[in-house]
Amino acid sequence: MSDDRFTLGGTTFDSRLITGTGGAPSLDVLEQALVASGTEMTTVAMRRIDPSVHGSVLSLLEKLSIRVLPNTAGCFTAGEAVLTARLAREALGTEWIKVEVIADERTLLPDPIELLDAAETLVDDGFVVLPYTNDDPVLARKLQDVGCAAVMPLGSPIGSGLGIRNPHNFQLIVEQAQVPVILDAGAGTASDVALAMELGCSAVMLASAVTRAQEPALMAEAMRHAVEAGRLAHRAGRIPRRHFAEASSPVAGMPVLDPERPAF
């Protein structure tokens, strides 16, 4: 959809699907999935990669000309996230950072207080900040107000595949957003992705749904089409939901049939 590009942090993308690398069984499988997804940007966890190693995920992304989006996965405090972001800037030469500040290992849910603190510091430090957040409209607005380039609410916990558990909150976040809203975490299959786009999200970020699928490349292709289908449906505008049926054909002008006088 070249007439419907996606702008984030002043950069325009043709694809509204942002992928991750976590959970891929091998670089070969990851490469096939990335190509099938059509993504133009992929996240990597700075605390789990070594930029100096050849044959790494970073080498693969360079080969495929895919933009690298470092993230702060594995951080539990604002201080850890800020330090990781600054190390990523030095190592990769990018001001872009996906900020993750996790509350605990069991749920991997964002810590809202530490997240907001880290986001504000990194915005002041000149970063293009993309925060992974709860599906809380109030927190999303505060992240937008401190200068984040997008808000990235979770549909459900990371890797759960439960889809969007609270579509109403997503609608509230989208309605008030002045920056792109990107579904981040929880997608399990293509219908979850299509729903996010139908709700008005600007893009979708996912990893496990593809990398841990039985056929990662095939699922990546499905996600690519789901993003496009959901976006088209959002632009087209769905019909209102009704309690009762409404005939698709008009009733005006219909002949009155008399059982006592059959036509044949």
Side-chain angles (χ1 to χ4, degrees), residues 168-192:
H168 179 63
N169 272 22
F170 265 75
Q171 286 182 310
L172 293 175
I173 292 172
V174 167
E175 285 173 5
Q176 70 181 5
Q178 302 297 315
V179 296
V181 177
I182 302 171
L183 169 67
D184 185 2
T189 189
S191 56
D192 300 329

Side-chain angles (χ1 to χ4, degrees), residues 35-71:
V35 171
S37 73
T39 189
E40 296 171 277
M41 184 162 64
T42 296
T43 67
V44 294
M46 281 307 299
R47 301 186 70 175
R48 300 191 180 105
I49 64 166
D50 183 348
S52 65
V53 174
H54 293 288
S56 67
V57 169
L58 292 179
S59 302
L60 175 60
L61 298 182
E62 182 179 9
K63 170 187 168 184
L64 298 178
S65 299
I66 294 176
R67 186 185 186 116
V68 177
L69 174 61
N71 68 45

Side-chain angles (χ1 to χ4, degrees), residues 56-173:
S56 67
V57 169
L58 292 179
S59 302
L60 175 60
L61 298 182
E62 182 179 9
K63 170 187 168 184
L64 298 178
S65 299
I66 294 176
R67 186 185 186 116
V68 177
L69 174 61
N71 68 45
T72 64
C75 292
F76 288 83
T77 68
E80 290 177 355
V82 169
L83 176 59
T84 302
R86 289 172 177 165
L87 291 173
R89 179 165 58 186
E90 291 297 319
L92 303 177
T94 177
E95 304 285 347
W96 287 43
I97 191 75
K98 180 190 168 193
V99 181
E100 297 183 26
V101 186
I102 302 303
D104 59 72
E105 290 278 9
R106 180 170 175 269
T107 65
L108 298 180
L109 292 173
D111 183 320
I113 297 172
E114 296 292 322
L115 174 65
L116 187 60
D117 187 10
E120 191 166 14
T121 299
L122 290 170
V123 168
D124 291 343
D125 210 11
F127 281 90
V128 176
V129 177
L130 311 176
Y132 163 62
T133 180
N134 298 292
D135 61 350
D136 178 352
V138 176
L139 179 59
R141 187 175 65 240
K142 289 182 179 295
L143 289 165
Q144 174 183 284
D145 291 345
V146 301
C148 291
V151 290
M152 304 178 72
L154 58 83
S156 50
I158 292 173
S160 68
L162 292 172
I164 298 177
R165 306 303 291 172
N166 197 336
H168 179 63
N169 272 22
F170 265 75
Q171 286 182 310
L172 293 175
I173 292 172

Side-chain angles (χ1 to χ4, degrees), residues 3-39:
D3 63 331
D4 186 36
R5 291 176 172 167
F6 164 52
T7 299
L8 177 63
T11 300
T12 300
F13 299 89
D14 288 324
S15 173
R16 292 174 179 266
L17 180 59
I18 305 169
T19 57
T21 56
S26 70
L27 280 180
D28 288 341
V29 171
L30 179 60
E31 179 173 0
Q32 295 168 19
L34 290 173
V35 171
S37 73
T39 189

